Amino acid sequence: MKISIIGNNLTALVLAKVLLKKKIQVELFYDENTTKVSKTVRTIGISQSNVLFLNKYFKGIEKIGHKIDKISISTERQRNDVLNFENYNNFKFAVFKYEDIYKFVKSSLKKEKNFKTFNTKLDKKLIQKKYLTSYDLIIDINLRNTLSKKLFFQKIKKDYFSRAYVTIINHKQIKNNIAKQIFSSSGPLAFLPISNTKTSLVYSIFNNNSSKISEEKLIEMIKNYNTKYKIISFEKFESFKLEFSLLRNYFKQNVLAFGDRVHTIHPLAGQGFNMTIRDIKYFLKLLDEKIKYGLNLDSSILEEFEKNNKYKNVIFANSIDIIHEFFKFEKKLPEKLSEKLFIYFNKNNIFKKYISILADRGF
Ligand SMILES: Cc1cc2nc3c(=O)[nH]c(=O)nc-3n(C[C@H](O)[C@H](O)[C@H](O)COP(=O)(O)OP(=O)(O)OC[C@H]3O[C@@H](n4cnc5c(N)ncnc54)[C@H](O)[C@@H]3O)c2cc1C
C-alpha cells in the first residue's frame, strides 16, 4: 500500500509517521517555499488524551511540552476568575513550542525505510496525470496547489475581522502551571505557560480594517491585563488574520483534504491542531479495519471518513464560534446578570466536566 502526502507541516509529518507504523509506504511532496518553521514564536496547546496518543508514536514527546493543570477564565469587567477548570490528578493539556515539536517529529522520521520526501515545484508535479494513479491514496494537507484548487474549492467562510498576535514573554521564575484566558474588550488574550520563566501569549484583537497594531501599543495593552508575571522582555511578535472556514467536501476521487485548512477555527479554545489529531485517530481506526480484513485502500475509506468526521467537525467548529459570540455578547449584558450567569456555570460541575471532556476528546 502506498500513500502520497502533499505538504510538510506538522500535520503532514505526524500523519506520515502513523501511516509508516501501519507498514504503508509514504511519499511526501512539498514545496520548500510554503513551510517556514524555524525561529517562530508560535506554540500549540495539545489536550491530555492527544498528548498520550502522540507519545505512542513519538516516544518522549510529552516531555518537551509544559503541562498545565488549571485553566482560569476572566472578563474585562470581572478580572477575578469567573470560570475555572482544574485537574487534580493529571494535567489538562500541554503547551509545546511549535519549533520543538516539529523538530522532534521530523527527527523521528529520519530512519524510516519506507519514507521518501521530494522537494519539488508542487504545481508542476501534481498536474501530471500519472501522479494521481501512482498511489492508493493521496492526502493533501497543503491545499494551496493546482490540484486542490480544482478539487476542494467550496467552503463555508466567516471573517472574524480580527488578527491574532502571538509572542513569548520572559519573566521572573514562578510556578507556572495555570493557563489564563481574559475576554478583554479588545478580544481574547491567553497566557499559556511554556516553562517557569516563559509564557506564550495569544491575543486575538478585533479590528475592522486590516492594519496591524504596533508592537509598542500591543505591549502596553498586554501590560494592562497582566497581573501575574514580572515581565523581563518580550520576544518578537507574529500575527495572523483570523477566519472561520469549513471545507464542504473532504475528498474527490482518491484524494483526501486534511488538516487545519479543512476546518479553520478561532484560536480562543486552542483546538485547531487537536481537531486534526482527532481526525488522524479516526483515519487510523478505518485503516486498521481495512488492513484487518485484507481490503484494498480506495476511496471507500475516504467516503467513510467524510461521513463520520465532517458533521462532528462542523458541530465542534460551530461550538467554538458560539463561545466567541457569547463573550462578545456578554459585554452588553448588565454587570450583575453577567456575574450571576458565571457563578451559576462555575458552580455547575456537570457543565464543567462535559466541557473538559469535549476539549480533551471532542465528540
Ligand atoms: C494564534 C493561533 C493559536 C493557536 N493555538 C492553538 C492551540 O493552542 N492548540 C491547537 O490545537 N491549535 C491551535 N491553533 C491552530 C494550530 O496553530 C494549527 O492547527 C496548527 O498550527 C497546524 O499546524 P501545521 O503545521 O499542521 O499547519 P501550518 O500549515 O503550519 O499551519 C496551519 C495554520 O496554522 C496557523 N498558524 C500559523 N502560524 C501560527 C502561529 N504562530 N500560532 C498559531 N497558529 C499559527 C495559520 O493559520 C496556518 O494557516 C492556533 C492557531 C492560531 C492562529
Side-chain angles (χ1 to χ4, degrees):
M1 283 185 276
K2 206 166 159 189
I3 292 184
S4 171
I5 293 179
I6 308 171
N8 70 338
N9 56 17
L10 184 60
T11 304
L13 301 188
V14 171
L15 193 60
K17 181 76 177 187
V18 300
L19 295 175
L20 288 160
K21 274 271 178 287
K22 300 283 167 201
K23 310 245 178 307
I24 292 168
Q25 280 187 53
V26 178
E27 295 195 346
L28 183 146
F29 294 87
Y30 68 99
D31 193 334
E32 200 161 48
N33 298 331
T34 57
T35 315
K36 293 184 196 93
V37 173
S38 61
K39 304 281 168 268
T40 171
V41 287
R42 65 196 276 198
T43 56
I44 303 190
I46 303 182
S47 76
Q48 186 198 134
S49 67
N50 286 340
V51 171
L52 298 180
F53 168 79
L54 289 176
N55 212 48
K56 278 199 267 175
Y57 293 88
F58 307 95
K59 275 269 152 294
I61 204 164
E62 68 166 322
K63 294 201 184 85
I64 62 166
H66 186 75
K67 297 194 172 103
I68 305 296
D69 307 321
K70 184 177 168 185
I71 301 169
S72 81
I73 293 174
S74 62
T75 66
E76 179 80 38
R77 293 183 294 188
Q78 289 146 50
R79 299 265 178 124
N80 292 331
D81 295 359
V82 289
L83 278 174
N84 49 59
F85 299 88
E86 221 163 328
N87 255 24
Y88 296 101
N89 45 13
N90 220 325
F91 65 100
K92 285 204 87 62
F93 70 101
V95 186
F96 294 80
K97 283 190 79 178
Y98 185 88
E99 206 178 324
D100 294 348
I101 191 169
Y102 187 90
K103 284 183 184 156
F104 195 100
V105 167
K106 196 171 178 187
S107 76
S108 88
L109 284 161
K110 272 189 192 141
K111 288 186 190 135
E112 295 285 354
K113 288 197 192 83
N114 285 327
F115 182 51
K116 286 190 189 140
T117 62
F118 302 90
N119 178 356
T120 175
K121 286 265 169 270
L122 277 183
D123 285 344
K124 275 194 185 154
K125 172 79 197 166
L126 306 180
I127 51 166
Q128 290 167 14
K129 271 217 172 101
K130 89 172 193 300
Y131 173 72
L132 282 179
T133 53
S134 305
Y135 301 93
D136 297 292
L137 297 175
I138 292 167
I139 304 181
D140 188 352
I141 295 156
N142 165 278
L143 290 174
R144 280 187 181 158
N145 52 67
T146 38
L147 184 70
S148 56
K149 280 179 193 148
K150 227 164 52 184
L151 302 182
F152 308 108
F153 50 86
Q154 287 189 308
K155 282 180 180 175
I156 299 164
K157 272 184 154 192
K158 169 178 170 179
D159 193 333
Y160 280 118
F161 297 106
S162 297
R163 186 171 270 281
Y165 294 85
V166 297
T167 188
I168 290 172
I169 50 169
N170 297 301
H171 49 77
K172 290 244 168 83
Q173 183 154 351
I174 55 163
K175 185 169 186 243
N176 208 10
N177 60 347
I178 302 173
K180 185 166 179 75
Q181 174 101 276
I182 304 166
F183 286 89
S184 79
S185 55
S186 44
L189 166 62
F191 291 83
L192 305 164
I194 48 172
S195 76
N196 287 342
T197 56
K198 282 177 188 282
T199 297
S200 154
L201 300 191
V202 179
Y203 198 175
S204 308
I205 301 180
F206 307 119
N207 190 0
N208 272 338
N209 56 46
S210 54
S211 63
K212 287 191 194 170
I213 300 173
S214 71
E215 262 186 54
E216 292 73 33
K217 177 79 187 151
L218 285 168
I219 290 174
E220 188 193 313
M221 289 162 82
I222 291 163
K223 283 184 173 166
N224 178 34
Y225 291 107
N226 168 48
T227 48
K228 181 171 176 183
Y229 299 105
K230 291 206 164 62
I231 301 174
I232 297 166
S233 63
F234 284 80
E235 295 190 13
K236 69 170 175 176
F237 281 84
E238 290 169 10
S239 81
F240 308 88
K241 201 165 163 4
L242 297 179
E243 64 164 25
F244 172 97
S245 130
L246 294 173
L247 212 58
R248 281 193 191 267
N249 65 309
Y250 280 21
F251 79 99
K252 273 263 168 76
Q253 300 155 26
N254 64 337
V255 187
L256 176 67
F258 207 88
D260 207 66
R261 292 194 185 112
V262 174
H263 37 64
T264 308
I265 57 170
H266 196 287
L268 70 89
Q271 283 291 328
F273 190 60
N274 284 296
M275 282 176 87
T276 296
I277 298 180
R278 291 195 277 269
D279 285 346
I280 293 178
K281 284 180 182 168
Y282 189 67
F283 189 70
L284 273 188
K285 188 171 170 253
L286 294 176
L287 210 60
D288 279 340
E289 280 166 17
K290 292 272 177 195
I291 293 169
K292 186 171 152 199
Y293 296 110
L295 300 170
N296 284 338
L297 284 186
D298 56 24
S299 60
S300 66
I301 189 172
L302 307 186
E303 201 176 331
E304 241 170 290
F305 179 78
E306 180 182 284
K307 203 169 115 199
N308 183 77
N309 276 32
K310 195 169 95 177
Y311 83 92
K312 285 187 185 166
N313 286 338
V314 168
I315 299 173
F316 194 84
N318 279 297
S319 314
I320 304 289
D321 188 53
I322 289 169
I323 298 174
H324 176 258
E325 293 304 317
F326 169 79
F327 279 98
K328 260 170 80 181
F329 168 74
E330 181 273 335
K331 294 184 189 76
K332 294 180 190 143
L333 289 178
E335 193 164 349
K336 277 269 171 273
L337 180 63
S338 154
E339 200 179 331
K340 273 190 185 154
L341 205 64
F342 284 120
I343 290 172
Y344 170 78
F345 282 125
N346 203 33
K347 277 189 180 158
N348 190 329
N349 287 333
I350 297 172
F351 162 79
K352 291 203 318 191
K353 193 174 167 195
Y354 183 68
I355 294 288
S356 297
I357 293 173
L358 211 61
D360 186 39
R361 292 178 232 153
F363 289 106

